[in-house]
Amino acid sequence: MRLPALLLVPACAALLLTACGGGGGAGGTSPDASPVSSPVTTPTAPPMTQRDAVRLASQATFGATEPLIAQMRTQSAAAWVQAQVNLPASSRYTSGGGTAIHTDTSGVGYCDQPAHQSDTCWRDWYSSQPLLWDFYRNAVNQPDQLRQRVAWALQQITVVSNLEVQGTYGLRRYHNALLDNALGNYRDVLRAVALSPVMGDYLNGVNNDKAAPNENFARELLQLFSLGTCLLNADGSLKGGRCTATYDNAAVRAYAYALTGWTYPAGGASKWGCWPKGANCTFYDGEMVPLPALHDTTARTLLAGGSVPVNSTPAQALDAVLDSLMAHPNLAPFIGRQLIQALVRSNPSPGYVGRVSAAFTAGRFTNAGVSFGAGKPGDLAATVAAVLLDAEARGDSSPGSTGGRLREPALMMASVLRALNGRTDGDALGWWWGETLRQHVFRPPSVFNFYPPDYPVAGTALQGSTFGIHNANTALERLNFLTYLLNWGGSKPATNVPNAVGTQVVLDSFDADAADAAKLVDRLSLLAHGEPLPDGPRAKVLEAVQWWTDKTDAKTWQRNRVATAAYLVFAAPQFQIVR
């Protein structure tokens, strides 16, 4: 299939390097069409417009579909967010092998044993590829979209990586915990992270030496998972106008000592026994369990006026650590700002951060008569509602040159599939496209994630985290992904993937509008961007689409029109940048 007017492609690739555009998607048959609750609207909260509905779908879901936008336009933004918060969890990580890799006492590698030797043993039992299948299947199909998006944001804050920790069942448990707590309380997120044997293995917190503890987990708990390195005002600005250290190395040491005394959950076995003496063998199925013999019982001074008393138990010390973090004034703006960056915009104003920080601290948020949160500090439902319903996130007006964020590759791929009625088993989106676009979702290169939240956008004074993996090559690969779906037919089901469906879009519902190029292009634009393309680009896209007639291709000109229109609309910077 030929896509005319390919001279538009270099221009689109170049524009991807600047902060311009819109956001959204479209679709046909989808679970999103199912009612999730009875929406409650008030006179002060009219139903969403097309532009705002697509904008909210781009921020709070893995991409708009036609049924989803139709549903959203019957209610206010607050009512839709409330329905998503109240929606029972439907997404889950279930694929891959179990605990046998850590209960085997043969002394022979699990995949080296004749009973388990296969081309897929390591993939199924040790790698994150089975989780990736579930991630994209959930993202494209399951209705609990907001829960998934928040869990995806938390996954990039409290990072573990399959590059260093191997064990599919443990990774599965870790990421299910993020789904479970995504709309709960951030204290519970931190607790689940601190007690995860996968995190314990990743950052050396398990079986830690009480005489000379490894500081890795303690340092990242403070630096990345909770407080950050500089003291902040409630609006996220630097306290005193400059970076004053949030903690020093003595504080890191105190937290490292306090967090000793934890070993793997019971159940693991090894031919060579467990180390150190009295500890449990490597095992990921459960939370870490206390081992008092490994715990430092000296009194320790923590941040925010916290302390660990002398002769504490491991559980008491952990509670003191969590209490100190929850009491610290940095936590609300540090985590609140990152949630804004993950969902809405890379450069939030101090006022925006301050309002979200206030919701995090109060544990409650109200908008248009709809209340969120249980009233305890760290409530994520209240915090996320404050992020999504803020004046800087809602409305039809342009957010200005500092508004928006670059769609990360995982979100871009899922959004296109949802918009174009696609199906996927996720397989090709990991081993091929995830690697090509530099975002295999469970294999970040380090605990600092795929990109830092304050990554500078070249040639500007702006921050844009996703630009940390974005360059001329990956910009073109985004266009190649569209070519893969629209020209090459995507991927057929692989014989070695359980319940395989491949990765393909289904364009049939758009064929009916192919005869009217303007109607087709506007339909796709309204769903992808929330509004028609600007007049100049629209005219160029129409020219490319109208090239296809029964004279240029007597048999498939209508489908070629749909594919051409979809390619150019989703390649446009208005889609690649969520505004």
Side-chain angles (χ1 to χ4, degrees):
M1 184 187 299
R2 170 181 174 270
L3 289 176
L6 287 180
L7 289 177
L8 292 174
V9 172
C12 289
L15 283 170
L16 285 174
L17 299 175
T18 66
C20 56
T29 57
S30 164
D32 296 318
S34 303
V36 296
S37 74
S38 298
V40 178
T41 57
T42 70
T44 59
M48 285 178 275
T49 64
Q50 178 79 15
R51 174 73 181 94
D52 202 32
V54 170
R55 190 180 183 196
L56 181 56
S58 298
Q59 296 162 345
T61 81
F62 274 89
T65 68
E66 286 186 320
L68 175 61
I69 297 304
Q71 179 196 70
M72 293 174 76
R73 292 200 62 187
T74 67
Q75 55 194 304
S76 69
W80 184 84
V81 172
Q82 182 188 51
Q84 280 285 307
V85 168
N86 293 337
L87 191 66
S90 55
S91 297
R92 206 76 186 152
Y93 294 102
T94 61
S95 299
T99 62
I101 60 171
H102 287 148
T103 59
D104 181 74
T105 58
S106 68
V108 178
Y110 186 81
C111 289
D112 293 328
Q113 298 172 26
H116 307 131
Q117 286 180 345
S118 73
D119 292 339
T120 62
C121 179
W122 186 89
R123 180 199 71 179
D124 294 342
W125 292 84
Y126 292 91
S127 85
S128 56
Q129 188 69 12
L131 276 73
L132 188 135
W133 300 334
D134 292 340
F135 176 89
Y136 281 108
R137 290 178 183 187
N138 290 337
V140 172
N141 299 308
Q142 291 297 337
D144 59 345
Q145 288 286 303
L146 181 58
R147 178 180 299 275
Q148 292 185 65
R149 278 299 303 273
V150 178
W152 171 231
L154 295 175
Q155 178 179 333
Q156 297 188 69
I157 296 172
T158 59
V159 174
V160 297
S161 177
N162 184 218
L163 292 176
E164 295 189 32
V165 178
Q166 298 175 358
T168 306
Y169 78 99
L171 293 166
R172 186 168 63 231
R173 184 182 180 89
Y174 184 85
H175 290 287
N176 276 331
L178 294 184
L179 282 170
D180 290 341
N181 290 293
L183 296 172
N185 194 285
Y186 199 67
R187 191 183 196 277
D188 295 328
V189 173
L190 290 177
R191 181 178 178 84
V193 166
L195 291 180
S196 166
V198 168
M199 180 62 79
D201 207 350
Y202 183 53
L203 291 182
N204 312 110
V206 67
N207 295 334
N208 210 352
D209 181 0
K210 68 178 181 180
N214 187 298
E215 299 174 5
N216 217 4
F217 176 69
R219 190 177 303 277
E220 306 311 348
L221 175 65
L222 297 175
Q223 178 181 354
L224 301 177
F225 304 165
S226 61
L227 306 182
T229 56
C230 301
L231 289 176
L232 303 174
N233 294 310
D235 64 5
S237 60
L238 294 176
K239 201 161 192 175
R242 62 187 182 87
C243 182
T244 302
T246 309
Y247 53 85
D248 56 18
N249 200 59
V252 174
R253 296 283 292 165
Y255 278 83
Y257 278 111
L259 292 166
T260 57
W262 298 94
T263 188
Y264 290 106
S270 169
K271 179 181 179 180
W272 298 279
C274 308
W275 183 91
K277 186 177 180 179
N280 291 333
C281 290
T282 301
F283 197 60
Y284 296 150
D285 195 19
E287 292 184 336
M288 293 194 294
V289 296
L291 184 59
L294 294 180
H295 180 58
D296 171 76
T297 57
T298 305
R300 301 288 173 183
T301 299
L302 304 177
L303 301 173
S307 64
V308 178
V310 67
N311 296 324
S312 67
T313 66
Q316 288 170 335
L318 174 60
D319 281 338
V321 164
L322 296 177
D323 288 344
S324 73
L325 298 178
M326 295 303 297
H328 199 287
N330 259 38
L331 180 64
F334 183 72
I335 296 302
R337 189 174 197 276
Q338 289 189 74
L339 291 174
I340 295 172
Q341 290 176 313
L343 300 175
V344 175
R345 60 192 303 170
S346 296
N347 297 272
S349 71
Y352 190 0
V353 176
R355 293 185 291 273
V356 170
S357 179
F360 184 99
T361 301
R364 196 175 298 281
F365 175 76
T366 300
N367 178 273
V370 181
S371 294
F372 301 86
K376 292 184 178 181
D379 191 292
L380 287 171
T383 305
V384 169
V387 169
L388 295 173
L389 300 175
D390 192 85
E392 291 190 33
R394 301 274 50 83
D396 290 348
S397 61
S398 171
S401 61
T402 62
R405 60 186 298 273
L406 176 65
R407 254 183 239 266
E408 63 264 46
L411 182 56
M412 182 274 294
M413 291 189 289
S415 295
V416 173
L417 285 165
R418 283 172 60 81
L420 299 178
N421 309 313
R423 58 176 179 265
T424 186
D425 51 34
D427 193 53
L429 304 185
W431 68 267
W432 177 253
W433 288 108
E435 297 293 344
T436 301
L437 291 167
R438 301 175 64 189
Q439 195 177 41
H440 189 297
V441 296
F442 299 102
R443 293 164 62 93
S446 77
V447 71
F448 294 95
N449 192 26
F450 303 100
Y451 31 65
D454 57 354
Y455 187 86
V457 180
T460 76
L462 302 177
Q463 296 177 356
S465 59
T466 315
F467 282 88
I469 56 171
H470 190 74
N471 54 39
N473 286 337
T474 56
L476 290 171
E477 289 297 348
R478 288 171 179 251
L479 305 182
N480 287 339
F481 176 72
L482 296 173
T483 300
Y484 153 81
L485 290 177
L486 296 165
N487 284 25
W488 302 343
S491 301
K492 304 297 183 185
T495 57
N496 63 0
V497 173
N499 304 309
V501 297
T503 296
Q504 297 175 317
V505 294
V506 180
L507 302 177
D508 297 18
S509 67
F510 296 98
D511 287 344
D513 290 333
D516 186 338
K519 183 178 180 181
L520 172 65
V521 169
D522 288 344
R523 175 183 173 186
L524 287 166
S525 300
L526 284 168
L527 288 163
H529 315 152
E531 57 193 356
L533 283 164
D535 290 344
R538 181 177 181 272
K540 290 293 186 182
V541 172
L542 284 175
E543 180 183 346
V545 172
Q546 290 168 337
W547 185 88
W548 294 104
T549 67
D550 56 359
K551 294 182 173 56
T552 53
D553 189 322
K555 294 183 178 180
T556 60
W557 67 273
Q558 292 167 309
R559 175 54 54 87
N560 286 335
R561 279 192 170 194
V562 173
T564 300
Y567 176 92
L568 294 172
V569 166
F570 286 96
Q574 285 91 339
F575 176 77
Q576 300 294 332
I577 302 290
V578 178
R579 297 282 297 274

